[in-house]
Amino acid sequence: ETSSKINHLLNYSQTIAKDHDVAAMFGYEEQKWNYRETKVSKLGLTDANVNDLDAATTPYKTAGYEKAYTARSYFGRVNYAYKGKYLFEFNIRHDGSSRFAPDYRWGTFPSLSAGWRMSEESWLKPIDWLDNLKLRASWGKLGNNSIDNYEWQSLYAAANYSIGQALSSGIAVTNIANSALSWEETAVTNVGVDYSFL
C-alpha cells in the first residue's frame, strides 16, 4: 500500500484605514492512494521445518488485485469586516475525484455567510447588561464522493460457463457501468443569534 498527500496554503490579511479588515486564503490539496495484494499458496509440506513453496506437493494457488484512488482540490476563502460590526465570508471549493467518469469528475461547492454584531451599534451601547448580540446567517453547498472506486466502470471477473456439455472458463461482467455518476450535493442553510449578558 502506498499513499501520498500534498497541501499548500497561502494566507493574506490586512487592515485598511482602521475600519476595514480583509483576509483571504487559497489552498491546493492532492492525494493519491494505491493498494496492491498478491497471494501465492501451496499445500502439502512434507517437513514442517522446510517452508519453501517448492517443498509442497499441491499445485500453486495464486490471487491478487489492485485498487487506486486520486483526488485533487482547489479551495479559497475571503473575509471582510467593517468596524468589527458587519461581517462577511465567502468560501469555494473545486474538487476532483477519480471515482467518477472524466466528464463528471469535478464539482464546485460555494458557501457564504454574514453577521451583524448589533451590540457594537451606538444605539445599543447604553444597555449595560448586554455584552454581546450578533445575528448571523449562512448558506453552503457540500459535496460527497463516498462511493467505491470503480462504480462508474464495468468490472469483469473470471467465471465458468458451459458450451454444449463442456465447462469452459472465461470472464463475466460483475458491475454494470454507470458513467453518469457524479458528486452528491447537499445545500445547508443556517440562521442564528449569539448573545451574552451580565
Side-chain angles (χ1 to χ4, degrees), residues 1-191:
E1 181 175 355
T2 59
S3 62
S4 63
K5 193 169 187 178
I6 298 171
N7 283 295
H8 297 289
L9 283 177
L10 291 173
N11 286 290
Y12 168 83
S13 62
Q14 182 73 42
T15 299
I16 303 168
K18 296 183 180 179
D19 293 333
H20 305 272
D21 294 312
V22 180
M25 180 272 292
F26 174 76
Y28 170 83
E29 180 179 84
E30 181 178 296
Q31 57 181 319
K32 295 182 180 180
W33 175 81
N34 185 273
Y35 178 83
R36 181 173 213 153
E37 182 174 293
T38 304
K39 295 180 181 178
V40 179
S41 64
K42 207 173 178 189
L43 300 175
L45 286 174
T46 55
D47 186 340
N49 295 318
V50 180
N51 54 16
D52 293 325
L53 287 173
D54 284 345
T57 57
T58 62
Y60 285 101
K61 182 179 179 182
T62 61
Y65 66 94
E66 184 175 11
K67 294 191 287 187
Y69 168 69
T70 303
R72 181 174 292 156
S73 299
Y74 303 91
F75 50 92
R77 179 179 65 228
V78 176
N79 296 86
Y80 172 74
Y82 177 68
K83 290 187 175 182
K85 292 190 288 188
Y86 311 114
L87 315 169
F88 302 95
E89 182 176 294
F90 176 73
N91 296 274
I92 192 163
R93 293 185 62 91
H94 189 58
D95 296 322
S97 172
S98 64
R99 290 177 173 162
F100 306 118
D103 289 343
Y104 297 93
R105 192 153 286 170
W106 290 91
T108 302
F109 310 104
S111 65
L112 51 94
S113 64
W116 177 23
R117 293 188 66 202
M118 297 174 63
S119 54
E120 295 299 306
E121 297 288 356
S122 58
W123 45 274
L124 275 179
K125 286 286 187 184
I127 303 177
D128 294 335
W129 55 267
L130 182 63
D131 298 318
N132 179 52
L133 177 63
K134 180 170 80 171
L135 302 179
R136 55 183 170 79
S138 64
W139 173 89
K141 187 183 284 189
L142 307 172
N144 180 13
N145 69 338
S146 297
I147 62 172
D148 287 338
N149 289 322
Y150 304 105
E151 287 195 15
W152 68 274
Q153 296 173 295
S154 291
L155 300 181
Y156 298 84
N160 293 325
Y161 59 96
S162 60
I163 296 180
Q165 297 195 7
L167 190 63
S168 300
S169 60
I171 59 172
V173 175
T174 59
N175 187 64
I176 298 173
N178 183 357
S179 59
L181 279 175
S182 188
W183 291 86
E184 177 187 15
E185 295 184 354
T186 304
V188 178
T189 303
N190 283 301
V191 177

